[in-house]
C-alpha cells in the first residue's frame, strides 16, 4: 500500500514538473527566444536592426515573429514613436528579469558542457 | 574611447553568452529532451514503454530519437541485457545531474508564469 502511494506521489510530482516545463518551453522554448532576451540584456539595444546584427543566423522574419511572441508573454515591450521617420523600440520588461536564473543556469551549463566535450576530445 | 571599449566588452559578453546558449540548446533544446530527463529523474523508470506512457504527447519514434541524442551527449546510458527476451534499460548518467539547476529554474519559472497568467485573467 505504501509503495502504491509512493508511486502515485512520484507520478504526481512528475506530471507537475512536466506541466511546468511545458509552460516554460511554450513561452521561451525554441531556438531563438532566450537568445533574443540574452542579447537585449547584454547589449541594451532597443533597435530591431541592431538585434538582427547581434544574433548570428537569425532572419528578420524570424526575429520579428519572436519579438511578437515575447511581447505576448509580457517579456518584451514594443513602443512606437510617431515621429518622422517612425521609430520603433523594443525593451525588456521588468517581468523578463524573472528569467535570470533560467538564463544563468543555461549559460553556465553550456560552458561546462563545451569544456567537457573539449576535454574528452583531447 | 572608453565608450568604444565598453561597447566591445558588451559585445564580447553577448557573444560568449550566445555561444553558451547555443551549446545548451544543441544538447538539450527542443520540445522533449528536458521532459525525458525530468521524467527519468522523477519516476526512476528505466523502461522505454514506461517513459512513453509517462510523457504526454510523445511518440515512440520521437522518444527513441531523443534517447539516442541524449546518449550521444552523455546524459543517458543505454544498457542491453542479452537475456531472452532482450531487456533494454535506459538510465540517467551521473553527468545528467549537472542539469539540476537548469531543470529547477525552468520548472520554477513555468510555475510562476502560469500563476501570473491566471492572476491576469481573473
Amino acid at each position: 500500500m505504501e509503495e502504491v502511494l509512493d508511486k502515485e506521489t512520484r507520478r504526481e510530482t512528475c506530471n507537475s514538473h512536466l506541466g511546468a516545463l511545458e509552460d516554460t518551453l511554450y513561452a521561451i522554448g525554441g531556438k531563438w527566444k532566450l537568445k533574443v532576451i540574452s542579447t537585449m540584456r547584454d547589449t541594451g539595444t532597443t533597435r530591431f536592426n541592431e538585434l538582427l546584427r547581434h544574433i548570428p543566423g537569425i532572419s528578420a522574419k524570424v526575429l520579428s515573429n519572436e519579438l511578437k511572441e515575447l511581447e505576448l508573454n509580457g517579456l518584451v515591450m514594443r513602443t512606437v514613436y510617431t515621429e518622422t521617420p517612425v521609430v520603433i523600440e523594443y525593451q525588456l520588461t521588468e517581468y523578463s528579469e524573472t528569467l535570470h536564473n533560467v538564463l544563468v543556469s543555461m549559460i553556465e551549463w553550456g560552458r561546462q558542457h563545451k569544456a567537457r566535450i573539449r576535454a574528452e576530445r583531447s
Side-chain angles (χ1 to χ4, degrees), chain A:
Chain A
M1 185 60 192
E2 216 170 82
E3 204 182 298
V4 175
L5 274 178
D6 182 52
K7 213 173 166 181
E8 257 175 49
T9 311
R10 279 197 292 171
R11 188 156 199 159
E12 269 167 36
T13 305
C14 177
N15 286 341
S16 161
H17 289 167
L18 286 177
L21 283 172
E22 175 82 26
D23 291 331
T24 301
L25 293 170
Y26 184 78
I28 54 153
K31 220 178 142 181
W32 299 111
K33 291 196 179 67
L34 285 175
K35 287 190 183 175
V36 172
I37 292 171
S38 179
T39 303
M40 293 177 83
R41 275 166 64 114
D42 288 338
T43 63
T45 184
T46 60
R47 299 306 177 87
F48 185 88
N49 284 331
E50 258 189 73
L51 269 176
L52 200 57
R53 270 203 308 277
H54 280 299
I55 307 170
I58 201 165
S59 72
K61 198 181 157 188
V62 168
L63 176 57
S64 165
N65 204 46
E66 298 298 65
L67 285 167
K68 258 179 224 156
E69 288 181 20
L70 289 171
E71 198 187 343
L72 281 174
N73 279 299
L75 298 163
V76 164
M77 192 173 61
R78 183 175 181 268
T79 317
V80 181
Y81 297 97
T82 53
E83 301 156 15
T84 319
V86 168
V87 173
I88 300 175
E89 274 191 6
Y90 294 93
Q91 268 165 314
L92 288 174
T93 60
E94 210 182 300
Y95 180 54
S96 75
E97 288 163 29
T98 57
L99 282 169
H100 180 78
N101 289 349
V102 171
L103 276 168
V104 167
S105 63
M106 288 187 82
I107 287 166
E108 275 176 8
W109 195 83
R111 281 185 179 152
Q112 71 77 30
H113 187 59
K114 180 173 239 165
R116 182 178 186 262
I117 288 170
R118 280 195 180 145
E120 270 176 2
R121 281 187 190 151
S122 64

